[in-house]
Amino acid sequence: MPRVLIMASPDTVSELTGTILWRADVDRVFAAADGSLDRIPAARPDLVILAGDDTLALIDLLARIRDDDRTRAISVGVVRGSVSLDEETQLRRAGANVIFGGQVVPYLWDAWIEELLHVPRRREARVPVSIAVWAHTTPGSEPGRGATVNISVKGMLLETMEPLDVGSKLDLTFTLPGGMPIRAVGQVVREHPALDGGSPRLGVEFLILRDGARDRIRSYVDAAGGEP
């Protein structure tokens, strides 16, 4: 049974009661929004929900979740009564996977939640990636370079030579070990702080995978499960 840890009072997440999070087959656990991260590893949730109108406090909590080895890989959603485009960008940069704000759109919200509750397996992989940023690329220009840190059928954690803005659309080309080149269209959905002065790290979601690429990535990721 998937488990959701809601670090907020029930009334602040009332918009979610009409979504699949309130189905009988979802285990909901509530915890005080006191800024402590200890409850997250103790609850072992598949998804954490934060709520509140204090953007700076949410950004601080998200940053600490992403900086802590115990919690950085957990999916996090943020519930807001309303949210501006600038606030949404800041929250995504801090580490939110999805922002629930404004008018409830059940079919759309359910799709987001379903995806986060069934986070696909990832495989650690150091693979060179050719990157062309749609908004920055001019005819005849050379694509940028990067390398994957890990990869799944949904996206990749990417190290780049230069930082890119959240929301940037990318043309990606890479080759998995023993395979053929893969072409994809992706979007930067969050930033990760550079480690020890290293290259910027970006969470990239695949929007388009061409020529059976999704199945090839899935086979590559699944093969890691049989390795010692």
Side-chain angles (χ1 to χ4, degrees), residues 6 12-13 16 37 55 62 68 108 118 168 195 202 207 213 222:
I6 300 173
T12 60
V13 294
L16 296 178
L37 301 189
T55 302
L62 285 164
D68 193 313
L108 181 59
H118 299 90
S168 296
L195 301 177
L202 306 170
L207 302 179
D222 289 346

Side-chain angles (χ1 to χ4, degrees), residues 15 24 72 100 102 171 183:
E15 294 90 345
R72 64 162 48 101
F100 301 101
D171 270 322
R183 291 191 61 202

Side-chain angles (χ1 to χ4, degrees), residues 55-134:
T55 302
L56 292 180
L58 287 170
I59 289 173
D60 176 71
L61 183 53
L62 285 164
R64 290 192 292 113
I65 288 172
R66 295 307 180 204
D67 286 342
D68 193 313
D69 289 339
R70 303 172 302 167
T71 59
R72 64 162 48 101
I74 292 175
S75 296
V76 182
V78 173
V79 177
R80 299 289 300 270
S82 62
V83 60
S84 68
L85 180 60
D86 180 61
E87 288 172 329
E88 181 171 352
T89 298
Q90 292 182 62
L91 292 166
R92 284 189 176 275
R93 284 178 173 172
N97 296 94
V98 64
I99 315 297
F100 301 101
Q103 184 177 2
V104 179
V105 186
Y107 75 90
L108 181 59
W109 288 22
D110 280 349
W112 290 338
I113 293 167
E114 185 74 21
E115 186 170 307
L116 293 176
L117 286 178
H118 299 90
V119 178
R121 288 169 54 178
R122 293 184 176 270
R123 181 170 180 177
E124 301 297 315
R126 195 72 182 176
V127 177
V129 180
S130 173
I131 307 164
V133 185
W134 290 9

Side-chain angles (χ1 to χ4, degrees), residues 40 93 96 125 131 135 146 157 191 209:
I40 299 177
R93 284 178 173 172
I131 307 164
L157 181 59
E191 295 176 332
L209 286 167

Side-chain angles (χ1 to χ4, degrees), residues 149-218:
V149 177
N150 59 49
I151 186 168
S152 79
V153 295
K154 295 293 185 182
M156 62 172 62
L157 181 59
L158 180 67
E159 283 189 348
T160 60
M161 300 300 293
E162 297 181 1
L164 298 171
D165 294 334
V166 171
S168 296
K169 301 287 197 308
L170 314 175
D171 270 322
L172 306 167
T173 305
F174 56 96
T175 302
L176 298 174
M180 298 176 62
I182 288 174
R183 291 191 61 202
V185 175
Q187 180 175 9
V188 180
V189 294
R190 62 181 178 276
E191 295 176 332
H192 294 260
L195 301 177
D196 300 324
S199 300
R201 291 185 167 192
L202 306 170
V204 176
E205 178 183 0
F206 293 137
L207 302 179
I208 300 172
L209 286 167
R210 299 185 173 97
D211 303 323
R214 192 175 301 277
D215 288 338
R216 283 188 277 155
I217 294 172
R218 181 178 288 109

